[in-house]
Amino acid sequence: MKLPIENRKYSNEITEDDDGERVNIAGWVHEKRDLGGVFFLIVRDREGFAQVTLHKKTIGKELFEQAKKVPRESVVAITGTVKGEQKAPNGYELIPERIEILSEASHVLPLDITGKVGAELDTRLDARFMDVRTERTKHIFIIRSQVLKAIRDFLDARGFIEINTPKIVSAATEGGTALFPITYFEREAFLNQSPQLYKQMLIASGLDSVFEIAPIFRAEEHDTTKHLNEASSVDVEVAFVSDKEVMKLLEELIASVYSKVALYPGISKLNLQLEVPKVPFRRITYDEAIELILEAGEQIEWGEDLSTPAEHILGKTIGELYFITDWPRAIKPFYAQPTEGKDTCDAFDLMHPRLELASGSQRVHSYELLKENIESKGLSAESFEFYLNAFRYGMPPHAGWGLGVERLLMSMLEIDNVREVVLFPRDRRRLVP
Ligand code: ATP
Ligand code: MG
């Protein structure tokens, strides 16, 4: 085989109008069907399926035997002539003149790609390269790619600058989660829980409106269907605006992503009717949330964070995407701006009826107040010096948020387990593949 395969066509680039044309395709042997006198090879590529038809009488014996012998999921390159055939996928079949086996697959497969035999998530994740060959999983990851592109396009159109901040950091936890320690030459370092401190420092740099799409690392010990130890976060930070403007930015971004994904034909493979949410999303205060939770008979005290059952009660009552605003200061990080004269702060969470999607706030931009807040959380201002310094020489007022990519995907696609929307998820038990 000479590479690249000359004029290679995807299965969906060939139609019945190409009747009589000679074409080259390449892909995986998806299925083999033996009808005695006729043998079918269904070849799968990224874009779909092609039927390769071998008539025993007219095709050479060698080619016929070769096709019969090739194990399923082997990789083949086929040269053949197109023949219109209504009953075949895309309305054509290929009469082969050459079948080249580029890579022969082992006979016992770890997964059934045709979808006839289901598999546990763990089995699928162990053989993820193969699981992505199934239609449903493939479309999830194509949609993931489209979601990321839609986010970049949306922010790019609004003048945002994409940044990349370090994932290896010295201590300085923001609270809320444990960090993963790593060995950094002769010192201890950590994997970053979020780009929070760095994106804020870049507001002092004058870049003005910045965003980052990158991994965040959290040593969450619990095993839930919505927590990963390595997740992807879209982080946005904007100068000279308040929490109200970045909430609007967030809801418009979500609506824009939904409307892009709704146009993708592969969405039908997920048995999904995607409804684009209407903006503005509903806003309730933390106090109103507490009232609704208590009314439903669930225990909660003012000042506590919302438990998963409490989130579900709110989700059931509200039934659509919504914001919770005006959180108690004590359960939000030190960088959230306190509301004047109250024990709440200008922080918000974006909620899907099933789970939290994003958290954000107006940020403290006064050096003195920030230092005070850090200390009042029992943290050492010294270890935050690199961050605090950025507030001493001209820091604009600013606001921002962090949105979980996997949470957005799983809620939008009605998928139960967050691991389904990550190619190679990392959780308490899983470090391989
Ligand atoms: P939760 O309370 O649901 O654990 P959080 O409030 O600790 O989340 P934030 O620190 O607010 O999370 O992070 C911002 C967003 O990043 C979250 O709203 C969520 O979408 C996402 N995120 C945070 N931690 C994880 C995780 N362990 N796995 C997947 N996504 C996460
Ligand atoms: Mg949060």
Coordinates of all heavy atoms in Angstrom, one line a residue, residues 216 218 220 226-228 231 356-359 402-404 407, ligand 1:
I216 N -8.7 21.2 35.0 CA -8.6 21.6 36.4 C -8.4 20.3 37.1 O -9.0 19.2 36.7 CB -9.8 22.4 36.9 CG1 -11.1 21.6 36.6 CG2 -9.8 23.8 36.2 CD1 -12.3 22.3 37.2
R218 N -8.7 18.2 40.8 CA -9.3 18.3 42.1 C -9.2 16.9 42.8 O -9.7 15.9 42.2 CB -10.7 18.7 42.1 CG -10.7 20.1 41.4 CD -12.1 20.8 41.5 NE -11.9 22.1 41.0 CZ -12.7 23.1 41.2 NH1 -13.8 23.0 41.9 NH2 -12.5 24.3 40.6
E220 N -10.9 15.2 44.7 CA -12.2 14.9 45.3 C -12.2 13.4 45.6 O -11.9 12.6 44.7 CB -13.4 15.2 44.4 CG -13.2 16.4 43.5 CD -14.1 17.5 43.8 OE1 -14.7 17.5 44.9 OE2 -14.3 18.4 43.0
K226 N -20.9 13.0 38.9 CA -20.7 14.4 38.4 C -19.3 15.0 38.7 O -19.1 16.1 38.3 CB -21.8 15.3 38.8 CG -21.9 15.5 40.3 CD -23.0 16.5 40.7 CE -23.0 16.6 42.2 NZ -24.1 17.5 42.7
H227 N -18.5 14.2 39.4 CA -17.2 14.7 39.7 C -16.1 13.9 39.0 O -16.1 12.6 39.0 CB -16.9 14.6 41.2 CG -17.7 15.6 42.0 ND1 -18.9 15.4 42.6 CD2 -17.4 17.0 42.2 CE1 -19.3 16.5 43.2 NE2 -18.5 17.5 43.0
L228 N -15.1 14.6 38.5 CA -13.9 14.0 37.9 C -12.7 14.5 38.7 O -12.8 15.5 39.3 CB -13.8 14.4 36.4 CG -14.8 13.9 35.5 CD1 -14.8 14.8 34.2 CD2 -14.5 12.5 35.0
A231 N -10.9 17.6 35.2 CA -12.1 18.0 34.5 C -11.6 19.2 33.5 O -10.4 19.6 33.6 CB -13.2 18.5 35.4
E356 N -25.0 21.6 39.2 CA -24.3 22.9 39.0 C -23.5 22.9 37.8 O -22.7 22.0 37.5 CB -23.5 23.2 40.3 CG -22.6 24.5 40.1 CD -21.6 24.6 41.2 OE1 -21.8 24.3 42.4 OE2 -20.4 25.1 40.9
L357 N -23.6 24.0 37.0 CA -22.8 24.0 35.8 C -21.6 25.0 35.9 O -20.6 24.8 35.3 CB -23.7 24.5 34.6 CG -24.8 23.6 34.1 CD1 -25.5 24.2 32.9 CD2 -24.3 22.2 33.8
A358 N -21.9 26.1 36.6 CA -20.8 27.1 36.7 C -20.9 27.9 38.0 O -22.0 28.0 38.6 CB -21.0 28.1 35.5
S359 N -19.8 28.5 38.4 CA -19.8 29.5 39.5 C -19.1 30.7 39.1 O -18.1 30.6 38.4 CB -19.1 28.8 40.7 OG -19.8 27.8 41.3
G402 N -16.4 30.3 36.1 CA -15.8 29.0 35.6 C -16.9 28.1 35.3 O -17.8 27.9 36.1
L403 N -16.9 27.5 34.1 CA -18.0 26.6 33.6 C -17.4 25.2 33.3 O -16.4 25.1 32.6 CB -18.6 27.2 32.3 CG -19.4 26.3 31.4 CD1 -20.8 26.0 32.1 CD2 -19.7 27.0 30.1
G404 N -18.0 24.2 33.9 CA -17.5 22.8 33.6 C -17.9 22.3 32.3 O -19.1 22.2 32.0
R407 N -19.8 19.0 32.6 CA -21.2 19.2 33.2 C -22.1 19.8 32.2 O -23.3 19.4 32.1 CB -21.1 20.2 34.4 CG -20.2 19.7 35.5 CD -21.1 19.1 36.6 NE -20.2 18.6 37.7 CZ -20.1 19.3 38.9 NH1 -20.8 20.4 39.1 NH2 -19.4 18.8 39.9
Ligands
ATP1 P1 -19.4 21.0 43.1 O1 -19.9 21.8 44.3 O2 -20.5 20.6 42.1 O3 -18.4 20.0 43.4 P2 -17.7 23.3 42.8 O4 -18.6 24.4 43.3 O5 -16.7 22.7 43.8 O6 -18.6 22.1 42.2 P3 -16.3 25.2 41.3 O7 -15.1 25.4 42.1 O8 -17.4 26.2 41.5 O9 -16.9 23.8 41.5 O10 -15.9 25.1 39.8 C1 -16.6 25.7 38.7 C2 -17.2 24.6 37.8 O11 -16.3 23.6 37.4 C3 -18.3 23.8 38.5 O12 -19.6 24.5 38.5 C4 -18.4 22.6 37.7 O13 -19.1 22.8 36.5 C5 -16.9 22.4 37.3 N1 -16.3 21.4 38.2 C6 -15.7 21.7 39.4 N2 -15.2 20.6 40.0 C7 -15.5 19.6 39.1 C8 -15.2 18.2 39.1 N3 -14.6 17.6 40.1 N4 -15.6 17.4 38.1 C9 -16.3 18.0 37.0 N5 -16.6 19.3 36.9 C10 -16.2 20.1 38.0

